[in-house]
Amino acid sequence: MQIAKNGEFYDRIFPIVLPDAQIYKPVARLKYIKHWEEEIKDLDEEMKGVSAANLQGFREKIDQYTEIRKMIAELTNLLTDMNTLTSDIHSESDFEDLINAIAVRLDE
């Protein structure tokens, strides 16, 4: 999220998509949204059950979860459009393509 906020997202990352990420199917990506909505709801509900005194960090977590929820659809959509390689491909090439891409970027 922080990289996306700072701009030039495509130029600043070299994503490796793990098999269990499941970002290429819209229905699977919706599960990420549901997850963060549940995290927000659960923490909010639990906070209502205790005194508001001395809850440092809890409100900040809800804010963080809300920000993730706000950006997750856009980020996963951007990642699905990128030319990403799987961890298996990288392992087979001993990460050569990734290392070369990073070297080129550093030389710019």
Side-chain angles (χ1 to χ4, degrees), residues 41-60:
K41 183 180 132 227
D42 291 347
L43 185 52
D44 191 45
E45 287 297 318
E46 290 298 319
M47 286 175 59
K48 289 177 185 174
V50 298
S51 167
N54 300 316
L55 289 179
Q56 296 85 352
F58 292 98
R59 181 74 240 163
E60 290 82 359

Side-chain angles (χ1 to χ4, degrees), residues 21-96:
Q22 299 183 17
I23 63 169
Y24 297 104
K25 294 182 179 180
V27 170
R29 290 194 338 243
L30 285 172
K31 290 179 183 178
Y32 288 105
I33 291 171
K34 287 179 184 179
H35 168 79
W36 289 107
E37 286 180 353
E38 282 294 316
E39 290 291 321
I40 294 164
K41 183 180 132 227
D42 291 347
L43 185 52
D44 191 45
E45 287 297 318
E46 290 298 319
M47 286 175 59
K48 289 177 185 174
V50 298
S51 167
N54 300 316
L55 289 179
Q56 296 85 352
F58 292 98
R59 181 74 240 163
E60 290 82 359
K61 276 296 180 191
I62 287 182
D63 293 344
Q64 181 184 31
Y65 295 168
T66 302
E67 186 173 4
I68 293 169
R69 164 55 188 97
K70 181 178 104 179
M71 295 186 71
I72 196 75
E74 180 182 358
L75 288 176
T76 55
N77 191 49
L78 287 171
L79 290 170
T80 61
D81 286 343
M82 294 183 81
N83 185 18
T84 59
L85 300 175
T86 66
S87 57
D88 290 339
I89 292 171
H90 282 299
S91 293
E92 290 169 9
S93 72
D94 202 24
F95 291 84
E96 185 177 347

